[in-house]
Amino acid sequence: MKSPSVIVIGAGVGGITAATHLAQHGIDVTVLEKNARPGGRCDRFSRDGHHFDTGPTLLVMPLLFEAEFTALGSSLHEALDLRRVDPTYHLVFDDGSGISLTSDLNAMREQLEAIEPGSYHGFLRYFEEGHRHYHIATERLVDRDFRRATDFFNLQNVPLIYQVKPLVRHYAHMSAYFDDPRLKSAFTFQDVYMGLSPFEAPATFSMMPYTELAHGVWYPRGGMYQVVEALMAIAEKSGVKFVFDAAVERIDVNGSKTRAVILENGQQLEPDAVLANADLPYVYRNLLPANGRKSQMENKRFSCSTISFFWGVDKVYEELPPHTLFLADDYHANFDSIIDDMDIPENPSLYIHAPARLDPAMAPDGQDTLTAIVPVGHLSPNEDQDWQSIRDQARQQVFRRLSLLGITDLEEHIKFEVNYTPLSWRKRYNLVKGSTHGLAHNLAQLGYFRPANRHPRYHNLYFAGASTRPGTGLPTALVSGRLAADRLLDDFGLPR
């Protein structure tokens, strides 16, 4: 019997992963990618000997990566040359004080007690809770596709309400562990990874600081794009075919099924199934026929965006560790400005990445490669934001914050700058509203409530990526790809 054929739209990490699982089960898979290279928002570029990751800059949740590479028949540690980053982050507060998050508990005790006497005990209790949240949530919420309502709404899951605290706000919950607002922000900023404010994120996300300290933050030699290169090698070995510079115009449907994929060049392909790894809201808005589900998608909560600066610098700033986070005292106002006003805060928290501290090959000898990321609001409904002005404000805020570390001459030593705004994210990766993390992870868009990995009407249309189950992030993209592939295999009656 002829094996089914599948078109995957988008060569992001979720799309590559799904395509590989399908090909390893005998399915004829072709991946169409609108850009010239794979990876989606996990992208890179190089200029004058400087190498930049434009998406994720660190590898977190390594146990999830290990499991997903194993499921692909590979080994994470054989595929990538990984280096553990410890301390994970150097946090800098408005008063110039700081803390380096580390798995060295003696160092953590000394730093925490210097900020708030007695806080180390609170940290250990918080760490213990994070351990519980991580192991329960990864098993019961992350590694699940909830095909039926009863997969989620059942007696077995009732204890989740108190086991992982989904109804408790993360920042408010921090009062059970710390009094000093600097420490509350130090262990909740990771919620931004989910495109959420810690003032509305569920306390479940204490799992993130836990896994970073317990399992480590890692960096692959050659940069985070090596994850994409490793996945591509597995995919091509498995027989997946890739076509680049192949933008899709629409998905034709007929009744309850997709009929064809139409490319912008007019080419028409008629696979047995379609798996879309493009940004899910974009698929509904631009590739499928307009109906009520499109407006439902438009009305969902979207994550924030970022302004990112990529600088080639003609000197080395050794005082900058690999990952530096400047956390504002007006932490709540920061998120109000980003989420509610869709703007840049007056005193933004921001992040600096210096990859050459981890891999000297990321910059020419005697020079530096720096990335600065400033969270901002996504595109407003009427798109009336002045992104040139907001970008210039963001740049000056980076220079101002660096002065806290004694770096006052960076502007004079920048050889070149490349920058991305929400408009850039939308143009390059078809991210609706320029939302870098897709749909947000508020309670109404978690677990069963997040869009499924199969279309509710077109039963041979599947989804993988940030806005589908289980959610945004590089490790969960691999999970999403596997869940979508498993659903397709089951629907076609194929063993897995």
Side-chain angles (χ1 to χ4, degrees):
M1 184 177 72
K2 181 185 176 184
S3 63
S5 62
V6 174
I7 292 292
V8 175
I9 301 173
V13 167
I16 299 170
T17 302
T20 304
H21 281 293
L22 294 173
Q24 289 176 346
H25 286 81
I27 290 181
D28 179 13
V29 187
T30 300
V31 180
L32 305 176
E33 169 55 48
K34 85 175 189 74
N35 291 326
R37 57 185 175 269
R41 70 197 82 179
C42 185
D43 206 351
R44 71 168 177 197
F45 74 90
S46 299
R47 181 169 167 182
D48 298 342
H50 299 269
H51 307 287
F52 302 89
D53 287 310
T54 61
T57 58
L58 40 78
L59 190 150
V60 298
M61 303 183 80
L63 301 187
L64 211 52
F65 271 101
E66 289 173 359
E68 294 306 318
F69 267 74
T70 298
L72 290 167
S74 182
S75 163
L76 174 69
H77 294 280
E78 290 180 8
L80 298 171
D81 182 3
L82 292 172
R83 171 181 174 178
R84 184 163 185 170
V85 185
D86 197 342
T88 56
Y89 308 94
H90 179 56
L91 308 182
V92 183
F93 304 106
D94 281 350
D95 62 1
S97 64
I99 181 173
S100 293
L101 300 183
T102 172
S103 59
D104 182 336
L105 293 182
N106 289 328
M108 283 297 288
R109 181 201 302 268
E110 182 178 338
Q111 295 181 90
L112 292 169
E113 293 294 323
I115 293 176
E116 179 189 324
S119 61
Y120 181 67
H121 179 63
F123 165 74
L124 292 180
R125 290 188 296 112
Y126 183 64
F127 196 70
E128 182 181 357
E129 178 185 83
H131 172 272
R132 182 174 69 253
H133 286 183
Y134 175 85
H135 288 283
I136 293 174
T138 51
E139 177 186 349
R140 306 277 290 281
L141 296 174
V142 175
D143 196 22
R144 293 286 185 273
D145 61 358
F146 303 113
R147 299 183 187 182
R148 297 167 294 276
T150 52
D151 292 342
F152 185 77
F153 297 104
N154 57 54
L155 291 177
Q156 183 183 11
N157 281 342
V158 171
L160 291 176
I161 294 173
Y162 62 85
Q163 288 176 335
V164 298
K165 297 183 171 66
L167 304 180
V168 179
R169 300 291 174 89
H170 195 183
Y171 190 87
H173 184 56
M174 297 305 292
S175 295
Y177 305 100
F178 306 110
D179 293 325
D180 194 296
R182 290 173 294 179
L183 297 184
K184 293 179 181 180
S185 63
F187 295 103
T188 58
F189 72 82
Q190 295 89 342
D191 295 348
V192 176
Y193 297 165
M194 314 295 165
L196 270 186
S197 159
F199 296 93
E200 62 175 334
T204 312
F205 290 136
S206 64
M207 62 186 282
M208 294 308 299
Y210 162 76
T211 184
E212 289 178 348
L213 294 178
H215 308 141
V217 168
W218 300 79
Y219 185 79
R221 182 182 297 275
M224 285 298 294
Y225 195 76
Q226 294 304 307
V227 175
V228 176
E229 299 275 22
L231 291 171
M232 284 294 291
I234 301 169
E236 290 173 337
K237 183 179 178 181
S238 301
V240 179
K241 299 181 286 292
F242 290 88
V243 183
F244 297 101
D245 297 309
V248 171
E249 180 179 287
R250 69 181 187 276
I251 300 170
D252 272 0
V253 298
N254 182 15
S256 63
K257 298 184 68 176
T258 65
R259 189 186 66 82
V261 173
I262 313 299
L263 278 66
E264 287 186 355
N265 64 8
Q267 184 179 4
Q268 178 170 308
L269 304 172
E270 299 182 1
D272 296 301
V274 176
L275 194 153
N277 180 225
D279 185 41
L280 185 66
Y282 177 85
V283 174
Y284 275 87
R285 175 187 282 189
N286 296 83
L287 302 186
L288 289 172
N291 56 34
R293 298 191 187 280
K294 174 183 175 181
S295 60
Q296 289 175 13
M297 187 66 63
E298 296 279 351
N299 291 329
K300 289 185 179 294
R301 282 282 307 279
F302 283 73
S303 67
C304 62
S305 189
T306 67
I307 293 178
S308 297
F309 299 99
F310 307 99
W311 289 318
V313 182
D314 66 11
K315 66 175 283 190
V316 177
Y317 288 93
E318 291 289 355
E319 56 267 63
L320 277 177
H323 305 291
T324 304
L325 271 154
F326 294 89
L327 295 177
D329 286 350
D330 45 355
Y331 197 54
H332 202 314
N334 252 255
F335 288 101
D336 287 346
S337 179
I338 293 168
I339 305 296
D340 298 334
D341 302 335
M342 302 179 208
D343 203 348
I344 182 172
E346 289 185 13
N347 178 34
S349 297
L350 54 91
Y351 163 71
I352 309 289
H353 177 44
R357 296 308 157 272
L358 301 170
D359 182 355
M362 299 301 281
D365 288 343
Q367 300 186 34
D368 227 341
T369 295
L370 300 178
T371 298
I373 299 176
V374 184
V376 295
H378 59 59
L379 297 171
S380 64
N382 56 7
E383 298 189 21
D384 59 349
Q385 298 119 310
D386 183 348
W387 288 111
Q388 182 174 340
S389 173
I390 295 172
R391 179 200 62 198
D392 293 344
Q393 291 177 56
R395 185 187 297 108
Q396 292 306 311
Q397 291 287 357
V398 174
F399 296 149
R400 180 181 67 82
R401 287 308 192 96
L402 286 172
S403 67
L404 290 172
L405 302 182
I407 298 174
T408 58
D409 63 347
L410 175 60
E411 196 167 6
E412 303 164 20
H413 291 279
I414 294 175
K415 297 161 51 183
F416 65 84
E417 172 185 295
V418 175
N419 59 73
Y420 290 3
T421 71
L423 294 172
S424 313
W425 298 115
R426 182 175 67 179
K427 180 178 180 181
R428 291 174 182 273
Y429 308 111
N430 287 340
L431 302 181
V432 172
K433 301 186 181 184
S435 295
T436 48
H437 298 80
L439 296 179
H441 284 72
N442 53 308
L443 187 60
Q445 295 176 179
L446 280 176
Y448 174 75
F449 302 108
R450 201 162 186 81
N453 300 99
R454 191 184 76 175
H455 195 282
R457 177 178 178 183
Y458 309 124
H459 294 163
N460 64 339
L461 175 58
Y462 302 84
F463 303 115
S467 294
T468 63
R469 298 171 190 163
T472 194
L474 198 54
T476 45
L478 281 90
V479 178
S480 180
R482 174 173 54 80
L483 294 179
D486 286 350
R487 183 68 187 268
L488 189 155
L489 290 169
D490 289 348
D491 287 351
F492 277 79
L494 299 171
R496 60 178 175 92

